[in-house]
Amino acid sequence: MSGFEAIVEDLKSLPPEKLEVAADFIRRLKPFSQTEREAILARTFGSLSQEDAEAMQEAIEKGCETIDEQSW
């Protein structure tokens, strides 16, 4: 039995709710095309308010642009 066939047999033995979990995981393993990535990005564009975006920018500038030599 090939690896693929073994996986199919394992899937056949799963209850329906676990099959949905497995299907979701398998879909996440599939690489996205450039078009799909652009569509995902377009859906999220503008999802932050100006106030939230500014708060995030400030947090990044304060917390991410500093080197703590003691932490290395």
Side-chain angles (χ1 to χ4, degrees), residues 23-48:
D24 182 54
F25 180 73
I26 291 167
R27 285 184 201 104
R28 285 185 280 136
L29 291 173
K30 181 183 167 193
F32 290 104
S33 70
Q34 183 67 28
T35 303
E36 290 170 314
R37 280 194 294 268
E38 289 172 0
I40 292 167
L41 184 59
R43 286 195 304 266
T44 61
F45 181 77
S47 61
L48 283 180

Side-chain angles (χ1 to χ4, degrees), residues 1-13:
M1 180 182 304
S2 73
F4 177 77
E5 292 167 332
I7 292 169
V8 170
E9 288 305 311
D10 288 342
L11 288 171
K12 287 179 183 178
S13 68

